[in-house]
Amino acid sequence: MISYADYLQLLPKTELHCHLVSTMRPATLQELALRSSVELWTDDTDRLFEFGDLVEFLHGWRVAHEVLRRPADLERVAWEGVADAVAEGNLRYREYYINPQYFAHPATPGVAPMSYVEVLTAAIAGLRRAERELGVGFRVIVAINRRESAEAAVDLVREMIAHPFPEVVGIGQDDLTPENTEDPLRFAAAYALAGEHGLLRTAHVGETPSASPHNVRDAIEVLGCDRIDHGYRVMDDPAVLALALERGIGFATTPVSTTICSGWVLDPAHRIRAMIDAGLAVSVSTDDAMFFRTDLGREYREGLRAMGIDAETAKRIALTGIDTAFCDDEQKRMLRADFTAQFLALDALLER
Ligand SMILES: [Zn+2]
């Protein structure tokens, strides 16, 4: 027999909201920082991942990009991140945000840029190897860097269209605007262009303390998003909630990150629990595992348990991660068959 905590840890999982750089091992970050002569944000390695809020975290997150100087670094990080997530939380499928703009314009003077094609080719090579060796499927979502201009975002989408990869299926976002806001409408032209070319769309909205439910509405109605990252403010406006329910919008939530970026306690009054109870299509992810000292197993084992979520709901969350994924129907069918078989075996072992 197994405890409920072990059950949650062992459940097969997808992850739809995950930034590739954040799947780095802390030891790899430190090794590559030394090699690349990058000064990390603190000398105190014990406190490397202690962030007071979202803005503080984002500073560290940008610096972490600087340690990745060569395509081989991206390939290594991609592979290691899958191996860890399989061991820590039975990961079966993942979607990654990759931001080519960081590598095209390195912050450190004199560092050679990596092109869009170099970045994507390297990351995909690492993820393909992980798929062959560990059986974990994946897709890539190119992330618009919100610190850059609206025009730069349009250029990025043009680059995606000019250099298509079968693994790259959509656009999303990372970071915040230079004013530390979400401002989804700033990137409307990039999203419109992506939509015209059949790219799927998701956006980071409704997360920050200053965000409003209207950001969620704008992402759905103006940007044409099929899925939302975070989206917690959806609960502040019944009309926006009704819109999200009617359109069947997926919400890729990240429980542990809300304790740092929003200062929320993981308990049954948490917004993610309220979103699930309201009937929204909620899945669970780590967002930035290394920085938040979390992993997919912990999100379920600690996060879901602290929010008072039962086994039936936990399984539904895992399946929602398949339903709202950006992969094709055949891959979804195979994932559902795999998950259903594993659920049966785990249900039989769960102590009741
Ligand atoms: Zn994110």
Side-chain angles (χ1 to χ4, degrees), residues 20 71-83 96 98 119-134 136 138 167:
L20 180 78
D73 298 342
L74 285 158
E75 189 173 339
R76 171 184 171 181
V77 166
W79 190 86
E80 288 180 353
V82 183
Y96 296 86
I98 298 180
V119 168
L120 271 298
T121 301
I124 288 169
L127 298 173
R128 279 279 175 223
R129 181 186 153 204
E131 186 174 47
R132 282 194 306 276
E133 295 178 6
L134 305 165
V136 176
F138 73 96
E167 298 87 350

Side-chain angles (χ1 to χ4, degrees), residues 313-340:
T313 309
K315 285 186 284 186
R316 181 152 54 81
I317 290 168
L319 291 173
T320 299
I322 302 173
D323 298 339
T324 56
F326 283 175
C327 61
D328 54 80
D329 288 343
E330 174 59 14
Q331 187 150 10
K332 290 186 181 186
R333 194 190 58 75
M334 283 163 51
L335 283 165
R336 281 192 199 101
D338 172 24
F339 279 34
T340 307

Side-chain angles (χ1 to χ4, degrees), residues 157-158 160-162 168-169 190-201:
V157 175
R158 287 206 181 104
M160 293 175 72
I161 295 161
V168 177
V169 291
Y191 276 78
L193 183 62
E196 282 165 27
H197 288 266
L199 291 165
L200 298 169
R201 288 159 285 176

Side-chain angles (χ1 to χ4, degrees), residues 1-4 7-8 10-12 310-315 339-352:
M1 301 304 278
I2 56 173
S3 68
Y4 186 43
Y7 176 90
L8 290 171
L10 292 168
L11 272 186
D310 64 18
E312 290 310 310
T313 309
K315 285 186 284 186
F339 279 34
T340 307
Q342 292 197 51
F343 289 167
L344 274 174
L346 288 167
D347 281 344
L349 288 172
L350 177 61
E351 249 168 25
R352 305 258 179 193

Side-chain angles (χ1 to χ4, degrees), residues 17 19 97 173 204 229-230 287-288:
H17 180 171
H19 301 266
Y97 292 110
Q173 305 168 332
H204 280 53
D229 293 297
H230 303 295
D287 202 350
D288 298 286

Side-chain angles (χ1 to χ4, degrees), residues 50-59 209 259-263 292:
E50 283 180 18
F51 301 107
D53 58 23
L54 176 60
V55 170
E56 219 175 85
F57 146 66
L58 284 172
H59 170 68
T259 66
I260 297 153
C261 298
S262 303
F292 301 144

